[in-house]
Amino acid sequence: MAKHIIDEAKRCLNCKKPQCRMACPISTDVPGFIQKFLNGDIVEAGKDLFENNPLSVICSIVCPHEEQCEGGCILGRKGKPVRIGSIENYISDYYLNINSHDVIEKKPGRVAIIGSGPAGLAAAFILARKGYKVTIFESEEKIGGVLRYGIPEFRLSNDILDTLHEKLINLGVKIRPNTLIGPVITIDMLFRDEYDVIFIATGVWNPNPLNVKGESLGHIHYAISYLKNPDAFNLGEKVVVIGGGNTAIDVARTAARKGAKNVTILYRRMEEHLPATKSEIEIAKLDGVKFEFLSSPIEFMDDKIKCIKNEIVDGRVVHLEGREFFVEADSVLIAISQSARTNIVSTTEGIELNEKGLLQTDENGMTTRPGVFGAGDVVTGAQTVVKAVNYTKKVCDSIEKYIDAKYAE
């Protein structure tokens, strides 16, 4: 593997105006870390990656590279781009697993982070390294949020998250698992206990229903629930997935790996409209997943789905009357979208939501309640990991100014 990575790194042209960096949502200095790596300084290369993006090792795996850094690589115009993700993963994994003991100057300020998905983890690393006392409140047994409970392990190993957990502990971060903020511990209690800032990064975990007849039948499931623990489900041999994003691809591939012999993705638009990344679509096809395009479910039945064919008119999906058909299904997995839970806002005064049911924040990431900030999907809606980290970095800068100003008074 190392030889392959070195050969790939040598293909980098070290462009003066690197399009790869411009195409990266978090502006990773691609030529910079590659040149340090080639010069024998893998530790410095890894440090640069980590300081720019504390979840670099994860982004190197789950990012849609063909749409970002690798899509901007000039070599890709006439041939194959440099496999930037693979090089970044090799360096980031190496750096993550070495014993580093950063001396961090402690300063006043206590932060509560609610949720440990991409935004929560990034904020914990950034704010702990700034010297603040950080406590993560996680509703599940282990940290990771959507990274652990929403991405299959064959795509993202939980071992990486376990290593990040150890790194956080070494930084002095306190972690409270199985703690859902709202019903018992409230925002008011956190402020009472002298947290200066509360950072909400709870993601979007409520599946949105299709509102199709039969949706409450026993063999109809929501993708986000299935991915959390696939072994708890008995799907049978014929599985139909509704949706076209990366989550739909993930549940389809997982179902195939768990023994389903016939897995079909039902998507209401054409193939070129699929929001999932191209590489994931290609891999799903190699895994035996079939696609049924321009099709929508109109009724779920005990052993089949009544569907209707669609056409696209001025960008809109229009059902074709008289074009109903049936698809056999032992189980159905609905993977259309998710919304935010209300356990925090329903128990807290002063935190407003926008028209989409997401946290309303200002340009600094602060909610409508002073001292309460937010980032990640609960603020922006579903986004990629790298975009969540990039937004979180900006919010953490605002949090630093907020806390430092408080103690300067």
Side-chain angles (χ1 to χ4, degrees):
M1 174 61 79
K3 179 66 166 62
H4 165 73
I5 294 298
I6 292 171
D7 290 343
E8 194 64 24
K10 287 179 177 178
R11 296 181 61 228
C12 176
L13 299 178
N14 195 19
C15 301
K16 292 184 179 180
K17 294 183 179 179
Q19 298 299 310
C20 52
R21 181 173 185 172
M22 295 179 187
C24 174
I26 204 165
S27 300
T28 300
D29 183 7
V30 177
F33 79 72
I34 288 179
Q35 294 311 309
K36 285 187 177 181
F37 171 61
L38 290 174
N39 290 333
D41 205 343
I42 189 173
V43 174
E44 277 300 309
K47 184 179 180 181
D48 288 350
L49 282 166
F50 181 81
E51 290 184 346
N52 179 62
N53 176 3
L55 301 190
S56 174
V57 69
I58 290 174
C59 291
S60 68
I61 297 171
V62 303
C63 266
H65 299 104
E66 67 269 24
E67 299 172 8
Q68 297 176 357
C69 56
E70 293 178 14
C73 178
I74 193 170
L75 291 178
R77 297 179 182 178
K78 294 184 178 180
K80 292 183 179 180
V82 175
R83 294 181 59 189
I84 299 167
S86 298
I87 303 169
E88 180 182 9
N89 180 255
Y90 185 86
I91 297 170
S92 296
D93 182 71
Y94 179 93
Y95 183 76
L96 189 66
N97 286 283
I98 63 173
N99 292 320
S100 58
H101 300 282
D102 293 338
V103 178
I104 299 172
E105 181 181 349
K106 297 297 182 181
K107 56 184 181 179
R110 187 185 298 271
V111 181
I113 295 177
I114 305 175
S116 64
L121 288 179
F125 275 112
I126 293 168
L127 295 173
R129 286 169 58 82
K130 288 181 183 293
Y132 302 118
K133 295 178 181 177
V134 175
T135 299
I136 295 175
F137 295 87
E138 170 53 49
S139 63
E140 300 293 344
E141 181 180 354
K142 295 184 178 182
I143 67 165
V146 69
L147 300 173
R148 186 184 295 272
Y149 299 106
I151 297 178
E153 191 164 5
F154 60 78
R155 280 189 60 207
L156 180 66
S157 171
N158 287 334
D159 290 344
I160 297 173
L161 296 168
D162 294 338
T163 302
L164 291 174
H165 180 278
E166 293 176 11
K167 292 291 184 183
L168 288 169
I169 296 299
N170 291 338
L171 280 171
V173 175
K174 301 289 192 301
I175 299 175
R176 289 189 60 166
N178 293 320
T179 305
L180 179 66
I181 299 299
V184 179
I185 298 178
T186 64
I187 296 292
D188 291 333
M189 289 173 64
L190 293 174
F191 278 128
R192 179 203 66 189
D193 293 342
E194 299 183 348
Y195 285 92
D196 299 291
V197 161
I198 297 166
F199 179 86
I200 301 176
T202 48
V204 286
W205 285 96
N206 275 353
N208 289 328
L210 277 170
N211 291 319
V212 169
K213 183 180 179 182
E215 195 166 348
S216 67
L217 295 178
H219 64 299
I220 314 298
H221 310 288
Y222 295 106
I224 197 68
S225 303
Y226 175 69
L227 287 174
K228 187 175 179 180
N229 185 8
D231 291 333
F233 294 76
N234 182 12
L235 300 182
E237 295 186 353
K238 298 177 182 178
V239 177
V240 175
V241 179
I242 313 296
N246 284 329
T247 299
I249 299 292
D250 282 345
V251 295
R253 294 182 65 198
T254 301
R257 279 169 165 71
K258 294 296 181 179
K261 295 181 179 179
N262 190 327
V263 181
T264 302
I265 290 179
L266 205 69
Y267 184 56
R268 63 196 183 113
R269 293 178 177 270
M270 295 182 286
E271 181 169 5
E272 55 265 36
H273 297 144
L274 281 168
T277 55
K278 292 181 180 179
S279 59
E280 292 299 318
I281 296 168
E282 291 173 358
I283 293 173
K285 290 179 179 179
L286 292 175
D287 282 351
V289 176
K290 301 179 179 63
F291 290 80
E292 184 76 43
F293 297 107
L294 290 171
S295 303
S296 295
I298 55 177
E299 183 179 353
F300 297 116
M301 301 177 179
D302 286 327
D303 57 357
K304 57 183 175 290
I305 308 171
K306 185 178 182 181
C307 304
I308 190 168
K309 278 295 182 182
N310 304 321
E311 65 177 343
I312 309 300
V313 179
D314 296 329
R316 295 181 300 109
V317 175
V318 178
H319 294 334
L320 294 172
E321 293 186 17
R323 294 288 304 277
E324 293 86 0
F325 64 103
F326 293 90
V327 176
E328 293 183 356
D330 295 321
S331 294
V332 178
L333 294 165
I334 299 173
I336 52 169
S337 61
Q338 291 93 237
S339 57
R341 292 171 175 168
T342 60
N343 51 286
I344 293 178
V345 295
S346 63
T347 57
T348 307
E349 292 185 0
I351 299 179
E352 302 293 332
L353 302 179
N354 61 24
E355 66 280 359
K356 295 180 180 179
L358 303 172
L359 285 180
Q360 182 178 321
T361 60
D362 63 16
E363 66 278 6
N364 298 314
M366 189 184 291
T367 68
T368 49
R369 179 163 177 173
V372 180
F373 292 76
D377 291 355
V378 74
V379 172
T380 62
Q383 289 280 9
T384 59
V385 175
V386 69
K387 288 183 178 180
V389 176
N390 188 51
Y391 184 80
T392 297
K393 285 177 64 177
K394 297 174 182 177
V395 176
C396 285
D397 287 341
S398 300
I399 289 174
E400 182 179 26
K401 293 176 182 177
Y402 179 87
I403 295 177
D404 290 355
K406 180 178 179 179
Y407 283 94
E409 294 176 355

